[in-house]
């Protein structure tokens, strides 16, 4: 046998050996899949943040009660949108997953994904949880593609000990608030957290003011804007809202460096340090749960954000996430069974407790979690409104607000310019 | 030591001649071609096809989306030049293009000058030069995104820079570096210079190794001073290195992304945003994939223009 023949035989032998190894391995995988009954198991994906295991807990409860399995996939929140949209379009999406009402850019907006025929239709009891006023944010051509299981008010969360240091009385009007901001600075406290390096802070803060200056006076403002009967620029309430955010910055309502801050405070909170703030007022109020877990000695309350007048104060009830299923999934029965189980009142209650929110469905003052007690009056008096613009505004309107508001602090933008940009974005 | 006798080395002469049957010849087919032939051109075909599919087809497909209203999800329509018309009509894009060029010039000029200075300083003589070279080069070995987040901690309001100023009794100089349109741009510039100087230094060090000490000595004997030696001996030898460093600096600067995303997000109000970040935001955050693709084509044209310009300026590479 010469050298070439020897090498050839070695190569052939290696190839045969590799195939011999691969075939049983692949066969073993398929056999294991069949044997474990994974065909009945549905997968559920959600955007993961630290210390959150809501969906793992629900899956365990479901398996205990029904024997059916739900495989939970926690996708890091910063890559969730792109991961979900890529997998949906690639045909390998999870069977169920969390989405967001409306369009919401790329990836997780219910109507965006519904229009692309990527979501399964929601039917049955789950559709009863959708607020009829917000149907446009959950449906395409009359078919619903997502439903809420819990809601979270967008309003202020107070750190009670720091509020006590400022006299203990939460302001009811913008004027009272601006006066309190100045007083708070004298005690090395800030009235509220400003994180304008994060886009959502700018629009979140503006919309909180607009609840009283725009929507308390004209609840149908969004519908009128859609019919071009009003514009942002010619609505006094919007001028007031943007000017108020600018005034808050000038009055020192936010901590130093708020114009570029982007979540740095959370590092201190996680280290057990109480932030020198009287409140947090952008984003959803379920932040109280994160704070309470990190700072167990502190007390927290959810309060209505100060209004143009005390009577005009409103609370936004926001749906942070919706539940949807993949149109490509072939496990319709298993998905429907899990949905039917999730929408039962006891499950909604459990999810609300785990997330720090409120069970989706009819709001009731008596059943509000204790931390939400201060806004109970607003529930009773029917002063809870839907999220402004939901299902009506194009995404570009919020983007114009997000980009423009920090410019009020730096002198790069005026209120009129931002409102003009918002109108242009709406009409584009 | 080998010696030559009658055209053969002694070592060759020492070896006993092989019998013709002992000489292993490659097996050949009946037509005379070897049984196993190495180096056939089609061996590269799979790789060439992959390169074509991954680079060229993907790029051309991406280019096609520039003429559509694709949102990144679902169907789309061909809309001709509408995206480019929108770019031309958007005043914000003009500012973003200006910022893009600013970063490119800063990266190109800054890294060239600093890299050259470090290379000259650490070329010879200094005992600790190897350690210092490693320190200057080290930032290049780190993830740009990770170091940008670390720099953010330096520049944020309660960060290292402001705290240091406070400790030094210069508290009045504290400011919101990342949230001020006058400084946000420069914080990014500091980071790109910090990270880009190492590569420029290494390229210049390689170039300096070509400078003959004899020529420098000859210049010294001719009583040339340090500046004259640098200008007439060292710098001409570094022309090829300068061409490479400026080219890399220009391209890296034009397609800069990580530090801006991590530190300022392009704000406040677009003041530190460049085209690469705008492309990302439009395509992947705002669902304007078609518009983002059109912006990326504009960016490609800008890079091409400046690359050709740079090649023209530094075209004489011969020493």
């Amino acid at each position: 046998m010469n050298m070439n023949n020897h090498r050839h035989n070695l190569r052939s032998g290696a190839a045969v050996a590799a195939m011999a190894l691969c075939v049983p391995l692949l066969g073993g995988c398929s056999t294991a899949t069949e044997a474990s009954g994974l065909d009945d198991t549905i997968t559920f994906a959600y955007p993961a943040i630290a210390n959150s295991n809501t969906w793992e807990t629900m899956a365990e409860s479901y398996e205990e009660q029904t024997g059916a399995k739900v495989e939970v996939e926690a996708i890091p929140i910063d890559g969730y949108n792109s991961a979900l949209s890529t997998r949906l379009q690639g045909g390998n999406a999870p069977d169920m997953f969390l989405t967001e009402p409306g369009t919401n850019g790329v990836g997780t907006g219910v109507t965006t994904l519904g229009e692309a025929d990527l979501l399964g239709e929601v039917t049955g009891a789950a559709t009863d949880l959708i607020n009829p006023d917000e149907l446009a944010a959950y449906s395409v051509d009359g078919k619903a593609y997502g439903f809420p299981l819990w809601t979270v008010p967008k309003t202020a969360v107070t750190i009670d000990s720091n509020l006590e240091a400022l006299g203990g009385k939460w302001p009811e009007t913008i004027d009272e608030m601006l006066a309190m901001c100045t007083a708070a600075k004298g005690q090395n406290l800030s009235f509220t957290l400003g994180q304008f390096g994060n886009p959502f802070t700018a629009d979140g803060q503006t919309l909180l003011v607009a609840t009283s200056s725009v929507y308390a006076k004209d609840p149908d403002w969004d519908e009128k804007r859609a019919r071009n009967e009003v514009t942002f620029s010619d609505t006094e309430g919007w001028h007031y809202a943007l000017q108020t955010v600018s005034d808050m910055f000038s009055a020192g309502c936010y901590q130093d460096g708020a114009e570029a801050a982007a979540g740095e405070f959370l590092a201190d909170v996680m280290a057990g340090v109480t932030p020198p703030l009287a409140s947090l007022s952008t984003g959803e109020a379920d932040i109280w749960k994160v704070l309470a877990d990190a700072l167990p000695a502190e007390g927290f309350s959810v309060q209505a954000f100060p209004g143009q007048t005390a009577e005009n104060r409103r609370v936004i009830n926001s749906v942070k996430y919706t539940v949807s299923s993949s149109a490509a999934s072939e496990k319709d029965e298993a998905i429907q069974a899990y949905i039917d189980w999730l929408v039962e009142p006891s499950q909604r209650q459990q999810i609300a407790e785990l997330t720090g929110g409120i069970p989706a469905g009819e709001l009731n003052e008596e059943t509000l979690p204790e931390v939400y007690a201060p806004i109970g009056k607003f529930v009773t008096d029917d002063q809870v409104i839907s999220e402004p613009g939901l299902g009506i505004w194009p995404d570009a309107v919020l983007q114009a607000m997000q980009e423009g508001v920090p410019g009020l602090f730096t002198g790069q933008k005026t209120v009129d310019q931002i409102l003009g940009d918002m109108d242009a974005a709406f009409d584009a | 030591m080998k010696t030559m006798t009658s055209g053969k080395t002694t070592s060759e002469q020492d070896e006993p001649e092989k019998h013709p049957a002992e000489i292993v010849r490659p097996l050949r087919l009946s037509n005379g071609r070897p049984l196993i032939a190495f180096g056939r051109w089609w061996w590269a075909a799979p790789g060439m096809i992959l390169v074509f599919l991954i680079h060229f087809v993907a790029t051309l497909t991406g280019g096609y989306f520039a003429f559509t209203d694709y949102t990144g999800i679902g169907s789309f329509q061909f809309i001709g030049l509408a995206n480019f018309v929108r770019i031309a009509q958007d005043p914000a894009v003009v500012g973003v293009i200006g910022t893009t060029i600013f970063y490119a010039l800063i990266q190109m000029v800054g890294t060239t000058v600093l890299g050259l200075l470090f290379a000259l300083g650490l070329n010879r003589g200094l005992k600790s030069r190897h350690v210092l070279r490693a320190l200057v080069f080290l930032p290049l070995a780190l993830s740009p995104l990770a170091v940008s987040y670390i720099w953010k901690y330096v520049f944020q309001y309660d960060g290292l820079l402001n705290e240091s100023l406070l400790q030094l009794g210069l508290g009045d100089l504290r400011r919101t570096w990342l949230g001020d349109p006058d400084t946000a741009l420069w914080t990014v510039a500091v980071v790109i210079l910090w990270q880009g100087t190492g590569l420029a230094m290494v390229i210049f060090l390689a170039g300096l190794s070509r400078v003959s000490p004899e020529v420098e000595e000859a210049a010294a004997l001719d009583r040339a001073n340090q500046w004259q030696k640098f200008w007439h001996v060292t710098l001409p030898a570094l022309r090829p290195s300068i061409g490479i460093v400026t080219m890399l600096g220009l391209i890296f600067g034009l397609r800069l992304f990580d530090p801006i995303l991590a530190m300022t997000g392009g704000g406040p109000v677009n003041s530190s945003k460049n085209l690469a970040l705008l492309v990302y935001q439009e395509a992947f955050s705002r669902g304007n994939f078609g518009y983002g693709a059109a912006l990326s084509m504009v960016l490609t044209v800008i890079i091409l223009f400046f690359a050709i310009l740079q090649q023209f300026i530094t075209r004489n590479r011969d020493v």
Side-chain angles (χ1 to χ4, degrees), chain A residues 5 85 89 105-107 113 116 118 256-257 259-260 262 264 399 403 407 410 412-413, chain B residues 70 72-74 152 156-157 176 178-179 181 268-271 273 283-287:
Chain A
N5 278 342
S85 64
Q89 292 180 93
V106 188
L113 297 173
L118 294 170
D256 290 338
E259 60 268 47
E264 295 88 352
Q399 288 157 11
E403 209 160 83
T410 58
Q412 292 168 284
K413 288 274 185 180
Chain B
Y70 188 44
I73 291 175
K152 188 181 177 186
Q156 70 189 32
Y157 189 80
T176 313
L178 300 170
V269 195
N270 293 336
S271 58
K273 190 181 289 181
F284 301 108
S285 300
R286 298 176 176 176

Side-chain angles (χ1 to χ4, degrees), chain A residues 241-300:
Chain A
L242 283 168
Q243 188 57 51
T244 297
V245 178
S246 180
D247 293 344
M248 287 176 71
F249 184 81
S250 304
C253 292
Y254 307 110
Q255 81 283 9
D256 290 338
E259 60 268 47
E264 295 88 352
F265 93 103
L266 209 54
D268 288 341
V269 168
M270 290 305 172
V273 178
T274 302
L277 304 164
S279 69
L280 295 92
S281 60
T282 52
E284 287 84 358
D286 59 354
I287 187 73
W288 78 266
K289 186 91 165 70
V290 177
L291 295 172
D293 288 345
L295 307 168
E298 293 288 350
F300 303 94

Side-chain angles (χ1 to χ4, degrees), chain B:
Chain B
M1 189 174 177
K2 293 173 182 175
T3 55
M4 296 290 289
T5 54
S6 62
K8 285 186 179 179
T9 63
T10 51
S11 60
E12 282 171 336
Q13 286 175 332
D14 293 342
E15 285 179 9
E17 290 213 0
K18 287 181 179 173
H19 188 275
E22 290 178 326
I23 298 171
V24 179
R25 298 182 192 282
L27 291 175
R28 290 181 181 277
L29 298 172
S30 56
N31 61 7
R33 291 175 59 187
L35 185 64
I36 300 175
F38 291 93
R40 295 285 180 188
W41 68 267
W42 49 264
W43 282 31
M48 288 166 66
I49 291 168
L50 279 176
V51 168
F52 180 75
L53 289 175
I54 293 169
H55 286 279
F56 295 102
V57 173
T59 304
L60 291 171
T61 307
Y64 172 72
F65 282 116
F67 303 94
T68 70
D69 61 354
Y70 188 44
T71 62
I73 291 175
S75 58
F76 56 85
Q77 288 187 326
F78 185 82
I79 56 170
L81 295 172
N83 285 326
F84 295 95
V85 172
R86 186 178 155 198
I87 289 171
Q89 291 174 342
D90 187 350
V93 174
V94 177
V96 168
I97 289 173
T99 308
T100 306
I101 294 169
F102 169 82
Y103 286 134
L105 292 176
I106 282 285
Q107 173 109 12
M108 186 180 74
V109 176
T111 55
T112 303
V113 171
L114 289 174
L116 183 58
L117 289 175
F118 274 111
L120 290 170
L122 303 176
N123 186 31
R124 297 190 198 120
L126 205 61
K127 275 190 176 178
S128 57
R129 64 184 184 279
H130 297 295
V131 175
L132 292 172
R133 283 178 192 175
L135 286 175
V136 176
F137 186 75
L138 195 62
L140 196 71
L142 304 173
S143 156
L145 192 61
V147 296
S148 300
Y149 277 113
I150 292 168
W151 273 101
K152 188 181 177 186
Y153 289 119
V154 172
F155 284 117
Q156 70 189 32
Y157 189 80
D158 54 354
L160 185 66
L161 179 57
N162 276 346
E163 288 300 315
S164 301
L165 288 171
L166 193 64
Q167 295 299 321
L168 292 168
L170 301 169
D172 292 344
L173 294 178
R174 288 186 305 162
R175 58 199 302 175
T176 313
W177 302 98
L178 300 170
D180 186 331
D182 295 332
T183 55
L185 207 64
W186 291 101
T187 59
V188 176
V190 166
V191 176
I192 61 178
L193 289 179
W194 175 79
Q195 191 151 42
T197 300
L199 180 64
M201 179 196 71
V202 168
I203 294 170
F204 282 127
L205 281 171
L208 286 172
S209 69
R210 296 177 57 197
V211 180
S212 162
E214 288 80 8
V215 179
E216 286 186 301
E217 283 170 18
L221 288 172
D222 287 341
R223 297 186 179 178
N225 61 28
Q226 288 293 330
W227 172 251
Q228 286 170 324
K229 276 198 288 183
F230 170 74
W231 190 254
H232 296 290
V233 177
T234 310
L235 198 59
L238 286 178
R239 270 189 195 152
S241 305
I242 291 170
I244 293 167
V245 168
T246 51
M247 167 69 91
L248 291 176
L250 189 71
I251 292 173
F252 288 165
L254 285 170
R255 63 175 180 79
L256 194 69
F257 180 73
D258 301 339
I260 312 171
L261 178 74
M263 292 172 65
T264 67
V269 195
N270 293 336
S271 58
S272 61
K273 190 181 289 181
N274 71 348
L275 260 179
L277 185 64
L278 185 62
V279 167
Y280 168 78
Q281 289 179 336
E282 288 292 345
F284 301 108
S285 300
R286 298 176 176 176
N288 300 322
F289 198 91
Y291 186 61
L295 283 167
S296 69
M297 285 188 81
V298 172
L299 178 60
T300 306
V301 170
I302 290 172
I303 290 176
L304 204 60
F305 171 78
F306 279 100
I308 291 169
L309 184 69
Q310 185 272 347
Q311 284 288 299
F312 180 75
I313 293 170
T314 60
R315 64 191 181 284
N316 184 10
R317 292 183 176 184
D318 298 329
V319 182

